[in-house]
Structure formats: C-alpha cells, structure tokens
Amino acid sequence: MEATSSDRHDHTTRADRPAADRLADDVALLRRLQDAVLVEAGAGDVLEVVRDLLAAVEGAGADHVRLAAATDHLAADQLEQVARALTVHFHLVNLAESRHRVRVLREGGDARDSALQEAATDPWPALGREGEPVDPGIFERLRIHPVLTAHPTEARRRAVAAALRRIGHQLDRHDDPLRGPAEQQVALRRLQEELEVLWRTAHLRTTRPTPYDEVRTAMAVFDDTLLRLVPRLYRSAELAAGVAEPGTAPPVVAPFVRFGSWIGGDRDGNPFVTAEVTRQTLGIQAEQALRVLAAAVERVGRTLTLDAASTPPSRALRDALAAASVADPAAAAEIAVGSPDEPHRQLLLHAARRVQATRRGEVERAYRDPGELLADLRLAQESLAAAGAHRAAYGELQHLVWQVETFGFHLAELEVRQHSAVHAAVLAELLGQVEDVGDPVAAARDAVLLDRLATDGWPEHVEARSEKAQEVLNTLRVVAWAQERWGERSCGRYVVSFSQQPGDLVAVRALARLAVGERPLRLDVVPLFETGDDLRRCTEVLDGWWELSSTRRWASSVDHRVEVMVGYSDSSKDVGPVSATLGLYDAQARLAAWAGRRGVELTLFHGRGGSLGRGGGPVHRAILAQPPGSVDLRFKVTEQGEVVFARYGDVTIGQRHLERVTAAVLRAATSGNEERTAAAAARYDDLARRLDEASHAAYRALVDVPGFADVVALSSPLEEIGELRMGSRPVRRSGADVGRDLADLRAIPWVFAWSQTRANVPGWFGLGSALAAVGDVALLREAAREWPLLGALLEVAEMSLAKSDRRLAERFLALGGSEEVTRRVLDEMDLTRRWLLDVLDQDELLAREPGLARAVAMRTGYVDALSVVQLRALRELRAATDEASQAAWRRVLLVAVNGVAAGLQNTG
C-alpha cells in the first residue's frame, strides 16, 4: 500500500479543480493501484513490457520499431499477460469516464471545461421558442421506445462488469468529501483488493452464453437502472412543461416511454432461440416486474401512515377496504392490527399482497391485469388529494403509478423476429399438403393465396410435420399464450427480416391462422427493410401488402397504427456508409409520404447499432437529421451490446440520454425544424445524388475485388470473434473457410472485425471519393452547416477516422495477401481524411470536440500497443501447425481483441 499512500486527495482543493484534471486524477490513481497489484502478483516483468510499449507510442506517433522490439521476443503466455494488463487499464479508464460524466451532470457542469458543456446543459430549453415551456398535451402523443437486443458486441464477461461496479463503488467512497481520512484509507484498501480480483479474473468466457444468460443480463439493467430511471425522467419532463412544483398536483406528463426487447425473441439466425425460450423469457420478465412492483407497493404503502382523523379516507376507499376484508379476511385482520386507523396504508398493503399473489399465480387473489392495480393506486391518490394530502398523493405514489404504466406486469414488450426465408420454407411444406396449389415453393410467396388462408383458414388435414414448421407454429402459439397471461402489450410484434415482397408479410398472419385458429391474437407484423435494394422498394412492398383484406382488417383494429423497421447494418455492408445513409433518408421520406397517403400513423423503427458503421453516434443529433414527417413524436430504436451499458449502466447517465432523445424527438416534430430540413434536402438534392453515385462506385470497387471476404477474414480476427462467445448467436451464416461471400458475413462481426484492424472501413469508406467528386469545398462547407444529414454523416466519419490508424491498418491488411485491397483502403483513407478536414475547415480530427478528442487520445497509446500484440498473435496463429501453439496464440489474440474493444468502445 505504500505506493498508494500519496493518492489520498485533498477534497477541498480537488473540488475546485477543472473537471478534466479531476478525471486525470482518477485515471492516475487507478493506474498506480493497478501497477501495485501487478507487482504484488509477481508480474513486474509484465509491467515493464507495458511501460516499454507505452513509451513507444508517446508523442506525435507510434515508433513501430520499438513496439516490435518490446513484443517480438515474448512467448505466448507472457504476451497474454501483457494484453490482459492493457485490457484491465481500458476497463478502468472507461469506468473513470463514466463516473466523471455522472459527476459533471450532478454538479451542473464546469464552465472551465467547454467540452463538458453539452453533457451538462439542460436539454429541454432546445424545445420550441425560447422562454416557452413545453405544451403538456404533446406528451399524450409522444412515444420513446428503446428496444434491447442481444446482438453480440459486448466483449466483457459479466464477472468483469461486476468487479468494475464494485471498484466504482469504492471510488465513490474515496471521492466523498464527507468521509474522513480513516474511511478514505479503507476505500483505498478495498480498491486495491477489488483490483486484485479484477486482475485475477479470467477475461475470456469459457462457454458461450445461452439465451437465458442474455435475458438475465438484461434483467440486471432493468433492476439497476431502468425501473428507477423512469420516474426521474417524467419529473424532468414536468419541469420542462412548466410545472413549478412537481409532486403537488396530478401530473401533466403522460408516461411516454416504453421498453421493448428482442432478447429471447429474436430467432433470425439464432437456432438457440426456440418457442420454449421465448415462453420462459416472458416468465422471467414477468417475475422481475412483479417482484419489483410488489416491493415498491409495499415500500410506498408503509410510508402512508396518515391516520384517518387527519386524513379521512374517501367513501370509495372505505368500500375497497371492506371488499378486501371479505376477499382475504386473514390478511385484512393482520394488516389492520399492524396499521390501525391508517386506511391509505392498509389499501396499499393489500395491493402489495395481491401483486405477490399475481407473481405466485394464485388466481383468486391475483390482479387480472395492471389496470386493476392502477385502479387501486389511483383510488388512494384521489382519496389523499381529497383530504388535502397532495404531496403524499402525487409524490412517491405517483412514481409508483408511472412504473406500473410503463412496465406493466410484463416489464418489456418482447418482440419476435424471424427471417422471411424461414416462413417461406415452412409454408412450402404446408402448402404441399393442399390440393390444386401447384408449385408449393412459388405458392409460399403468393400474397393473394396467403391472404385467403389467413382470412378463411386452412384445410383441416394440413399439419406441421417437420421440426422447423412445428417450431414456427409453436412460437406463434406462445405469443397467443403470453397475451392471455400477461396482456397484449407483453408480446405482439412480429418482425420479418428481409421483407422483400407482400407475401413475406402476410405469411405471418397465414401461419398464425394455422397455429391458433380463431383464438384471440393481437399480431402486429413489422416489415424490416435492410439491403439497399429492399429500401428502394419498400413502399412498393407496402402497397401490395396494404391491399390485402387481412391487412386492412388488422389495420382497422389498431386504428391504422403501422410500424416499419429500417436496418442500418446490412444496408451499410451492402452499399457502403455514404450510400446507406442517403438511401435510408430517402426510404424514410418515402415511407412518411406513403403513410400520409394511406392515412396511417407510422412509427419508424430504427435498427441502429452502437458502432459508427451501423448507425452509431449521438442519437439525439441523428433524430434531428431525419426526413420531415418521419419522426412525428414517435421514435423507436434498438439498443444493443456495449451501448446498453454505456447508456443505461448508471441512472443519471441513462436519464440524461433519454432526456436528450426525448427533447430531440419533440424538436424534430416542430414545424420550424421540419421546414428547415425539407428546404435543405431540396436544396442539396443534386449534391446528394453526386455523393451517392461516387461513394457507391468506390465502395463496390472495393468489395467486388475477387476474394474480398476471404481477405477480410485473413487480415482480421473475423473468424476468431465467435470464440469470444459474446452471444448465443452464430457469427456467420455458413462454415466455409475459403470462398466466403460478403452476404455470408453478418453485419455485426463484420463491423467488429474492421474496428480491430484499425481501418474502420464501415464508418467512412467512400466518403473521400464522394467529396472529391463534388470538388466544391465552399458548397460542401455550406451543406455541412445547413443540411443536418450531411453534418451527421461527417460527424460519424470523423469519429471513425479518429479511432483509425493508417500504419497499423496497413500491417493488418497485409495479412490478407491482397495488394489491391490494401491499396484501395489506404488510398481512400488518405483521400477521406484530407477532404473531411478541408470541408470541416480543421487541421486535426475532432478539433471542435475537445472532450471527445481527449477521450480518444487518452486511450490511443494503449490501443496501439494492444493492436501490435494482436498483430503478432494473428501472424503466429496463422503460422502455427500444432494444436498447443494454436491454442496459446488464440488466447493471446482473444484477450487483445477484448482489450481493443474496450479501448475503442463502439466496436459492433
């Protein structure tokens, strides 16, 4: 501990220091403690190698000769320890930054650090005209709908994440100015203890997580953050709506957030997600929701110790207590003894018992649905308010009401996703049993035939004979069961991947008719348009689908509310980031126009990822760049992998993220914003066409190089990513070792692999050719200022290039053995960087984002060092001939991949 005794802070002076310095203090403290742990563990030689590596990357640029000298002589086991030490450092830096953001938000910002102003600034004043509050009525129409997915981009093990949470807790204790020197010393001791645990914890998963593991991971996010975040968000919205003193009157803000999930429901490409997994997932979610609600109702109820003399209950509340005493006399007697003459408390304690009964499946005492629980809570509110206890009525009790309204008994709205080709194969099997169908394969895509089956039903003799067909039908039966058990909101959306024709959409309803007959089933089919061609044809497909009688009947039953999903991952992989961005904008504009013609209330579901090549970047800025009419107060988006924990790992950070998203959605719907966006899109329509053509040509010239997919696999850890066991889903669609096709590579590992090569191709490739083809710097600068879409595109490219490294990318690409691919990537990288800086009128990347630039710079040296380790491991692994050597170098590679992912953060 002697090495750390000087790390005790003078909290009085520390609080007065610039925010950036306080972050640097935390990072320095953690690094010194980590160094001490390494020495104590007998890994002092590892520490020396790490220092040599960092010395080689300090200053203006990495000294690759020194980097090689520091690593080339090390054996695999030594290099694995070096990679592990660097990875631990990244985790600690990320933790320090996360805590720092929370500190800045809580303190209201630091005027001496302009980079933190956006994070600290209240997001709500961006709405409407300056000085005017938000119209409360707008919240009735507003809907913010994050959907958690299990897409495998979070490289950390849960054990590592748990250790980091404990370290963060000890940092909070150490940083608390109210604690004395003795307590701070205890916190330092516990910090070093937890760092030792982290160092000795295996960073690689030994088994692939099951879908159930993924569900439990998501439950921790709800438990730790989301359930607590929602009431705080709504209180913040009340202040924005001009409520002078929230919590003293009925709320003016309707609950506008809904959480969805694909975890346990997304079976597209994941054979491990079955109907039984989906059924169990629904049960796990309900158990979580009811457990939390039971505790919350009990907790709030026990605070309502207002006696009947000071706060007389309403007649309705007295009647409710009388009815409860008849329904459950033993409980009523016990509650009356423990809460004498406290009627409001008694009602909520009865409600808590009924929630527990619902959780246990005790039908006689259970609530039939969340509406019944809400009725009891509102009855208590109205009685309290009538007696003059307004704060008790609309304080914590209102928080509880908001939680029930938001999460119900189901927690998150579980969605099913399946590939259209799976439905077509099952329908072909089933239609083969129907006379006069002709070719069952062609009939499986015949929208008119499928519409008739969905409407009139199937012949009685048709049945599922294959395991695949039984599984598809059982999934639909589980959806029907869930709605009977937990209500329509629990599970009712069915996303169809690769929706390419009307038959792909009506197929789900036809299969549902065979699965459940005429039993009640609310089934909202959500088409997913992903590739460039599918996005261009999206409204044509919807027109054909809308004309079908089964579609019109369903649309009438849901007040013509339609959801359409657009995919960012495959579209970018298909046509490149620039064309994908422009194509997505065009598709969304046409979808909004289609909805207007059809009288549809359209919700666009954005399949964004965390990476810069999958629609990542600041979500609130991307919202403001959407086409006019495409948001219309509704925003639904996927949240996956490392993004879930980055945005929702802390209540304060999660609240601010959702505040910014909400404010952006409200602002995007204003007439002024829509008029500006429309005018800019019209003004720069020709520019968009030229950018699209040039970028698409450059991108296709790259990916059409013969053997391109094999080159990517050889020059990156693409194949090895699957061995990180980040998720239950397989990494790619086929098992070919050579002759890979671009379509065979899943979009997420594709982006993840490119980030590891330090080229980050999916985030920027083709932009340089596009800007150069236009050639008019003045025009491009004007467009970057006035056209939000181009501004957002340049922002993503700038961040992506800032996390790239040309020299390291060249060394990785050389492993692929294709001089043409290497030349095209590096030439386009140079061209893009040059033109991007010119258009942005900057000398360096991120010059206008000093906070972001500092965060990247703080990691760059460590990431470069780990990339060199990864290069050595890739070379040795490719050359190894015996299994022992292969296994040893594969471990080095995977630890390095894990560390680079932690260092770059938005990798997949």
Side-chain angles (χ1 to χ4, degrees), residues 398-412:
Q398 179 57 44
H399 291 184
L400 180 56
V401 169
W402 275 331
Q403 286 177 321
V404 177
E405 289 176 320
T406 301
F407 299 101
F409 290 168
H410 59 278
L411 193 69

Side-chain angles (χ1 to χ4, degrees), residues 354-698:
R354 291 192 66 187
V355 175
Q356 287 285 20
T358 309
R359 180 183 173 197
R360 292 190 293 263
E362 299 171 2
V363 178
E364 286 188 4
R365 292 196 301 157
Y367 283 115
R368 286 175 293 185
D369 55 52
E372 286 193 338
L373 171 59
L374 282 170
D376 280 348
L377 299 180
R378 288 182 176 131
L379 179 61
Q381 277 191 317
E382 291 162 5
S383 177
L384 288 164
H390 297 284
R391 293 184 184 276
Y394 302 114
E396 286 297 300
L397 183 53
Q398 179 57 44
H399 291 184
L400 180 56
V401 169
W402 275 331
Q403 286 177 321
V404 177
E405 289 176 320
T406 301
F407 299 101
F409 290 168
H410 59 278
L411 193 69
E413 299 175 13
L414 188 65
E415 301 185 3
V416 173
R417 183 171 75 134
Q418 184 57 281
H419 198 291
S420 61
V422 173
H423 299 147
V426 170
L427 283 165
E429 172 194 325
L430 298 169
L431 290 168
Q433 304 171 42
V434 180
E435 297 178 0
D436 302 325
V437 161
D439 180 3
V441 174
R445 303 271 185 167
D446 184 339
V448 175
L449 172 61
L450 297 176
D451 182 49
R452 187 166 64 248
L453 291 170
T455 302
D456 300 334
W458 291 72
E460 288 190 8
H461 67 277
V462 176
E463 61 181 7
R465 295 171 181 172
S466 69
E467 186 176 337
K468 178 184 285 188
Q470 291 170 359
E471 176 61 34
V472 168
L473 297 183
N474 282 341
T475 297
L476 289 159
R477 292 174 183 127
V478 165
V479 175
W481 167 83
Q483 293 182 8
E484 292 174 2
R485 181 71 177 86
W486 305 114
E488 287 185 352
R489 277 182 56 196
S490 64
C491 185
R493 291 183 182 85
Y494 198 116
V495 181
V496 182
S497 299
F498 285 85
S499 296
Q500 297 177 323
Q501 50 192 303
D504 292 335
L505 305 180
V506 71
V508 180
R509 213 165 294 284
L511 289 165
R513 182 60 187 267
L514 181 61
V516 302
E518 296 186 35
R519 286 169 52 201
L521 173 61
R522 161 75 179 273
L523 195 63
D524 297 339
V525 178
V526 179
L528 168 52
F529 300 108
E530 301 179 79
T531 68
D533 186 56
D534 292 347
L535 287 165
R536 283 188 291 272
R537 296 182 55 253
C538 62
T539 54
E540 176 186 336
V541 172
L542 291 178
D543 278 334
W545 176 56
W546 196 254
E547 296 302 322
L548 301 174
S549 60
S550 59
T551 305
R552 290 198 300 273
R553 280 197 310 277
W554 161 77
S556 296
S557 72
V558 296
D559 296 326
H560 291 81
R561 292 190 296 269
V562 175
E563 197 170 293
V564 175
M565 186 172 184
V566 290
Y568 289 65
S569 306
D570 281 283
S571 58
S572 181
K573 182 167 72 74
D574 184 36
V575 297
V578 178
S579 289
T581 299
L582 295 169
L584 281 160
Y585 183 93
D586 178 66
Q588 291 172 57
R590 287 185 289 109
L591 286 166
W594 175 86
R597 292 193 305 271
R598 296 288 186 175
V600 162
E601 182 183 288
L602 176 68
T603 296
L604 281 175
F605 183 6
H606 300 265
R608 294 169 59 94
S611 71
L612 300 170
R614 295 186 55 237
V619 178
H620 61 282
R621 296 184 192 172
I623 292 168
L624 294 174
Q626 301 304 304
S630 65
V631 178
D632 197 22
L633 297 178
R634 294 177 297 279
F635 184 69
K636 185 175 180 182
V637 65
T638 52
E639 304 272 38
Q640 49 75 41
E642 77 280 5
V643 169
V644 172
F645 292 95
R647 290 176 179 163
Y648 303 114
D650 177 89
V651 173
T652 302
I653 292 174
Q655 177 185 343
R656 181 49 55 95
H657 167 68
L658 287 179
E659 284 175 351
R660 291 202 172 280
V661 169
T662 303
V665 169
L666 290 169
R667 184 178 173 188
T670 61
S671 58
N673 184 78
E674 292 199 336
E675 288 167 5
R676 286 190 298 271
T677 304
R683 186 184 316 136
Y684 300 112
D685 181 65
D686 181 63
L687 175 61
R689 179 186 55 77
R690 293 158 67 189
L691 292 171
D692 183 23
E693 290 175 355
S695 66
H696 185 262

Side-chain angles (χ1 to χ4, degrees), residues 704-862:
D704 288 342
V705 171
F708 173 75
D710 287 335
V711 172
V712 176
L714 289 171
S715 60
S716 73
L718 177 69
E719 297 299 326
E720 289 78 15
I721 285 171
E723 296 180 51
L724 280 173
R725 303 178 176 92
M726 292 185 291
S728 62
R729 190 182 186 190
V731 172
R732 64 187 172 96
R733 294 178 173 90
S734 76
D737 292 325
V738 294
R740 300 170 183 85
D741 186 81
L742 188 63
D744 180 54
L745 306 181
R746 295 195 185 280
I748 293 169
W750 154 268
V751 173
F752 195 106
W754 275 115
S755 71
Q756 295 287 324
T757 68
R758 305 300 302 285
N760 283 340
V761 160
W764 55 265
F765 194 94
L767 178 61
S769 292
L771 298 176
V774 174
D776 187 337
V777 175
L779 172 64
L780 290 167
R781 286 179 177 176
E782 174 194 292
R785 290 191 305 270
E786 303 296 329
W787 185 20
L789 184 68
L790 181 60
L793 177 61
L794 297 180
E795 182 179 36
V796 167
E798 183 183 17
M799 166 65 90
S800 191
L801 282 173
K803 295 189 175 186
S804 304
D805 185 282
R806 190 188 192 283
R807 291 182 65 182
L808 287 167
E810 183 175 12
R811 294 177 65 185
F812 275 102
L813 289 166
L815 299 176
S818 172
E819 292 183 5
E820 183 178 1
V821 170
T822 301
R823 175 180 57 78
R824 287 185 180 277
V825 171
L826 297 180
D827 286 353
E828 185 69 20
M829 181 183 284
D830 293 339
L831 185 66
T832 302
R833 182 187 177 92
R834 184 168 66 251
W835 272 93
L836 184 61
L837 289 174
D838 206 0
V839 171
L840 295 175
D841 195 17
Q842 297 174 187
D843 294 325
E844 296 293 336
L845 295 171
L846 302 180
R848 300 179 188 179
E849 298 283 352
L852 197 52
R854 184 171 56 246
V856 172
M858 188 164 52
R859 294 171 171 81
T860 295
Y862 288 82

Side-chain angles (χ1 to χ4, degrees), residues 858-881:
M858 188 164 52
R859 294 171 171 81
T860 295
Y862 288 82
V863 176
D864 290 350
L866 260 178
S867 293
V868 171
V869 171
Q870 187 179 142
L871 273 164
R872 168 91 188 282
L874 270 174
R875 288 198 306 270
E876 297 285 357
L877 179 59
R878 303 284 188 257
T881 56

